[in-house]
Amino acid sequence: MFLKRLKALSRSLAFRLTLWYAGIFALSSCLAFVFFYYVIIDVLREQTDEDLRRQLSAFSGIMQVEGITGVQQIAAMDALSGGDQKRLIRLLSRFGTEFTAAGTDYWQNVGVNAEAIRSLLTNGRPVIETVVLPERRDSLRIIYGIIGPGVIMQLGRSLAGEIRLINVFQRLFLTTLGLIFLLAAIIGWFLARRALSGVGGIAAAARKISAGDLESRAPVSGRQDEIDQLAGTLNHMLDRIQTLIRGISEMSDNIAHDLKSPVTRIRGLAEITLTTAQSDDDYENMAASTIEECDRLLEMINAMLFISRAEVGVREVRPETVALKALVGDAVLLFETTAADKQLRLCFEAVTDARVKGDPRMLQRMVANLLDNAIRYTPPGGQIEVTVDTVVDSGARIEFRDTGIGIAAEDQERIFERFYRCDPSRTESGSGLGLSLARAVARAHGGDISVESTPGKGSTFSVILPAGPASP
Ligand code: ADP
């Protein structure tokens, strides 16, 4: 259980970020310490060498004034006084023969480096070397120099003090590094948890949504950071999806309702005819009604297919140049009798003979649907005006203005959805497909339809189509 948790934790982004953060922090501190370490070692060595050179020149001065006996006396005194530096002094001939030595009791194993003497005699410059004595945990820095004619001095001093300093520095460095790593891990963990806290909220919301709670939303902290933006975008997307799902479910309800009614009527009629029919006329009537209902069903199915085709795009069909004045004028003529039957005044005016590129059959169907709606939703005595003109920068415009029942503001965008009808009781005949078909055709031609309406006063549907070639 614990191991499982540990495994999950090691896979978490917060853990990995913390590790990176602490690692980078520790690495940079390490680099800084290593740099200081080498600088300190360099400075200490430089100081020791300088000290040895100074002492060598002091002995050289004594040699000049007091001769070799003076040097021997000082060397003996130095060996007796000992001190922290534990000096080693040897006076040698140019062939390496020892005149005098001091401090050899302490530095028993340290001999004379013949190579160093050779180099000194060749170059004439003092030679400095380090002799490491691991068994003593000590090192000796030795200088070989000429202090008088034919007299070479081997002068060494212990590096114990420097080694102690460096050891202290190393211990300090390791402790500080450990503390820095720990501190960086704590700070890193805190920062990573804080930065990723929103992600946990989003994941929890996503889990709830996939479990079926479509109302759930990702929490927005208000910090306006990237996580907040992500949560906001996700919530916006979820709102859209929920609206779409609601729309689809409403649409399927409507489809079911609209397809069910004719089928129920056909079935009812068949049942009644079977049980009560007395003559062939009754069967003929039933057949006629069945054909009528089937036609209605077919009409709906065809309309749906037509919309799908139009949505695929008019580019599928070879476009022709269509003169809107003639096309709309013909449709108005066709509907004149229906309008007159309902005591409606139907007027048509073409301000310009606008031309568009498109499919004339599709456009005819769009115009017919809009005209049919205007007539159906305008009570007797009303008026319908149809105009064709051109709008600068937009293209051709066909307007259908009626003095009908109007459309409520909340219905105005939804009437273009498939099967949507403002009257929920569906008392008026219709499929709820006319406007979605009209919009699909307009959009397939690169245009669109909009509506302006005041309930009780009337509606205006405007179709905008991109202008085609200029009129001849
Ligand atoms: P329908 O077959 O029901 O007319 P449409 O898609 O053509 O389907 O129209 C959708 C709904 O929009 C209609 O049910 C009606 O409520 C409303 N509507 C359409 N045109 C008009 C109009 N000119 N005046 C008032 N309401 C309209």
Side-chain angles (χ1 to χ4, degrees):
M1 184 72 187
F2 176 72
L3 267 177
K4 239 183 180 178
R5 270 191 171 186
L6 206 69
K7 231 177 172 182
L9 181 75
S10 69
R11 273 200 300 262
S12 75
L13 190 59
F15 181 80
R16 274 183 285 160
L17 278 178
T18 308
L19 222 61
W20 272 101
Y21 185 77
I24 290 172
F25 219 76
L27 188 74
S28 2
S29 320
C30 202
L31 285 175
F33 269 110
V34 168
F35 175 73
F36 282 125
Y37 179 78
Y38 280 107
V39 167
I40 286 174
I41 285 187
D42 214 47
V43 167
L44 286 177
R45 192 187 301 127
E46 201 46 51
Q47 263 180 8
T48 313
D49 293 356
E50 196 48 50
D51 187 34
L52 285 172
R53 270 192 216 101
R54 239 192 346 262
Q55 287 183 32
L56 192 76
S57 86
F59 276 114
S60 169
I62 293 167
M63 178 79 182
Q64 273 176 20
V65 179
E66 299 177 29
I68 197 156
T69 349
V71 176
Q72 276 170 335
Q73 274 171 3
I74 291 186
M77 271 162 56
D78 197 275
L80 280 176
S81 66
D84 197 32
Q85 295 192 349
K86 295 196 176 58
R87 276 202 279 202
L88 166 74
I89 303 171
R90 274 198 184 105
L91 290 179
L92 309 160
S93 74
R94 52 188 301 127
F95 306 108
T97 331
E98 187 179 305
F99 299 138
T100 304
T104 41
D105 292 347
Y106 185 79
W107 302 108
Q108 277 170 5
N109 302 328
V110 181
V112 176
N113 184 347
E115 184 57 41
I117 290 185
R118 207 169 304 129
S119 162
L120 171 71
L121 292 174
T122 322
N123 301 323
R125 276 201 306 272
V127 176
I128 301 180
E129 64 168 12
T130 302
V131 176
V132 183
L133 301 166
E135 71 279 2
R136 271 213 188 154
R137 292 210 194 129
D138 202 350
S139 296
L140 188 66
R141 190 78 174 155
I142 298 174
I143 189 166
Y144 291 90
I146 300 168
I147 58 165
V151 182
I152 294 170
M153 176 173 258
Q154 181 197 31
L155 177 63
R157 53 160 287 198
S158 162
L159 290 176
E162 285 82 354
I163 291 173
R164 254 200 317 278
L165 194 77
I166 285 168
N167 283 345
V168 168
F169 181 83
Q170 278 175 348
R171 272 201 298 279
L172 194 82
F173 163 62
L174 285 175
T175 323
T176 317
L177 192 71
L179 282 176
I180 284 179
F181 190 78
L182 199 74
L183 197 75
I186 293 171
I187 295 175
W189 178 253
F190 173 75
L191 288 179
R193 295 285 301 180
R194 199 174 136 78
L196 297 174
S197 60
V199 177
I202 294 175
R207 269 197 299 277
K208 275 193 198 165
I209 292 163
S210 50
D213 176 11
L214 291 180
E215 297 292 326
S216 193
R217 291 291 176 272
V220 179
S221 67
R223 285 202 296 257
Q224 305 278 327
D225 53 13
E226 287 85 345
I227 304 279
D228 247 13
Q229 283 171 18
L230 178 70
T233 315
L234 199 79
N235 288 344
H236 183 67
M237 186 185 81
L238 288 171
D239 287 343
R240 286 271 306 139
I241 291 175
Q242 204 173 12
T243 315
L244 281 176
I245 291 177
R246 218 174 277 143
I248 289 171
S249 121
E250 267 174 36
M251 196 172 88
S252 3
D253 281 356
N254 291 340
I255 295 177
H257 183 276
D258 286 344
L259 291 182
K260 203 176 124 194
S261 311
V263 177
T264 315
R265 279 197 294 272
I266 292 171
R267 194 192 175 283
L269 200 67
E271 200 174 350
I272 291 170
T273 314
L274 267 182
T275 47
T276 60
Q278 283 162 1
S279 63
D280 286 352
D281 283 354
D282 290 337
Y283 284 103
E284 267 172 29
N285 283 342
M286 184 199 78
S289 300
T290 306
I291 290 171
E292 211 175 286
E293 294 293 354
C294 285
D295 281 351
R296 206 166 295 157
L297 271 174
L298 277 174
E299 203 180 308
M300 267 171 71
I301 293 165
N302 282 336
M304 283 163 72
L305 288 173
F306 188 90
I307 294 172
S308 305
R309 260 207 318 274
E311 277 174 350
V312 168
V314 77
R315 281 163 221 92
E316 296 284 303
V317 191
R318 203 171 300 148
E320 296 170 23
T321 302
V322 183
L324 286 182
K325 185 179 173 183
L327 185 131
V328 180
D330 287 351
V332 170
L333 261 180
L334 269 176
F335 277 87
E336 241 166 18
T337 335
T338 325
D341 286 351
K342 215 180 157 186
Q343 287 137 44
L344 296 173
R345 234 166 74 83
L346 178 59
C347 325
F348 170 61
E349 186 191 3
V351 181
T352 52
D353 186 11
R355 274 151 200 274
V356 293
K357 271 237 167 236
D359 180 347
R361 278 159 297 280
M362 278 192 179
L363 292 170
Q364 261 160 8
R365 197 136 179 210
M366 175 187 77
V367 172
N369 277 350
L370 291 165
L371 261 173
D372 181 51
N373 277 354
I375 292 171
R376 270 196 295 136
Y377 298 107
T378 305
Q383 179 171 318
I384 297 157
E385 284 171 42
V386 183
T387 46
V388 173
D389 61 0
T390 315
V391 187
V392 186
D393 295 338
S394 300
R397 178 173 62 183
I398 317 169
E399 254 184 10
F400 302 82
R401 197 185 303 269
D402 66 49
T403 55
I405 57 171
I407 303 160
E410 64 271 21
D411 285 328
Q412 283 179 21
E413 197 40 45
R414 301 209 58 196
I415 50 174
F416 295 101
E417 291 170 17
R418 268 175 244 195
F419 293 103
Y420 187 82
R421 292 165 73 188
C422 304
D423 173 19
S425 58
R426 290 157 190 268
T427 41
E428 184 68 49
S429 67
S431 60
L433 288 170
L435 284 180
S436 46
L437 187 148
R439 177 170 266 187
V441 171
R443 287 191 172 168
H445 284 77
D448 210 345
I449 299 187
S450 59
V451 63
E452 274 174 35
S453 183
T454 314
K457 290 209 163 145
S459 316
T460 304
F461 284 85
S462 304
V463 181
I464 295 281
L465 296 170
S471 29

